[in-house]
Amino acid sequence: MTRIISGRAGGTVLDVPPKGTRPTSDRVRESLFGALDSADLVDGARVLDLYAGSGALGLESLSRGAVSADLVELSAPAATLIRKNAERVRAAGVTGTARVHRANAATYVEASVAEWDLVFLDPPYDVSDDEVARILAGLAPRLSPDATIIVERAKRSAAPDWAAAGLEADRDRTYGDTTLWWGRPLA
């Protein structure tokens, strides 16, 4: 069962697509958001959740005070499910804006004119490192100066090529088979 961990919608159960997604575990989300909250990176943030799946990362951000979340998912059934999950979170009193975009992640980033403060890039494990690099390069000019980018990949995956995208590595943390890499714009 996937749920919103904390904030205004804490405890709200989220539906998860029956196939084609790999939801971030509650344990990993709890650790991730604990670190984000302690660095004051969520409250008031404009969030981008790429490969959103159930929308758990973007919706957790809204529950914790983000002002908006763009949730990007190519799968039509998953995008429909994210809309339902967003409505549940809104019904729990969350006031931030959730916008669901049914689109390819790279295409969405390249076409967007928005600016984001916090980005979650959680592609399926079979998405190539080259595709991740393409998305990071597309994101770089669309980030606020103090933005944080979180890339979630299999532990066996190579670290993102931050430098090629004009970004820099911040830190990484491994949880079982999952590694979270943190990046940011060059100072």
Side-chain angles (χ1 to χ4, degrees):
M1 176 174 67
T2 299
R3 61 183 175 83
I4 298 295
I5 296 165
S6 188
R8 191 172 282 262
T12 301
V13 175
L14 302 176
D15 290 334
V16 176
K19 60 181 181 171
T21 63
R22 176 194 36 79
T24 303
S25 73
D26 282 359
R27 177 179 155 248
V28 172
R29 277 188 300 114
E30 191 164 1
S31 294
L32 170 60
F33 278 94
L36 290 168
D37 283 343
S38 71
D40 196 28
L41 296 174
V42 180
D43 192 36
R46 296 162 297 173
V47 175
L48 174 61
D49 185 354
L50 296 169
Y51 301 96
S54 67
L57 296 171
L59 297 174
E60 182 78 37
S61 298
L62 290 172
S63 180
R64 293 172 184 246
V67 296
S68 65
D70 289 297
L71 301 112
V72 180
E73 175 57 53
L74 182 59
S75 162
T80 297
L81 189 130
I82 294 168
R83 285 183 185 92
K84 291 178 184 173
N85 286 338
E87 187 52 44
R88 282 187 191 148
V89 168
R90 188 174 9 264
V94 168
T95 58
T97 303
R99 293 179 293 267
V100 180
H101 309 275
R102 185 172 170 256
N104 170 280
T107 303
Y108 176 81
V109 167
E110 290 165 0
S112 182
V113 295
E115 181 178 83
W116 297 287
D117 306 306
L118 179 59
V119 177
F120 299 104
L121 176 55
D122 181 14
Y125 285 165
D126 63 352
V127 168
S128 72
D129 292 339
D130 288 342
E131 182 72 1
V132 171
R134 176 181 167 203
I135 293 169
L136 290 173
L139 278 171
R142 292 164 181 82
L143 299 171
S144 66
D146 295 325
T148 297
I149 307 103
I150 310 291
V151 177
E152 181 176 338
R153 301 282 279 164
K155 177 172 67 174
R156 65 186 176 280
S157 299
D161 190 351
W162 299 108
L167 303 167
E168 65 182 350
D170 186 14
R171 61 183 127 159
D172 61 84
R173 180 87 192 260
T174 299
Y175 305 87
D177 290 337
T178 300
T179 299
L180 300 179
W181 282 280
W182 294 52
R184 61 181 177 221
L186 289 169

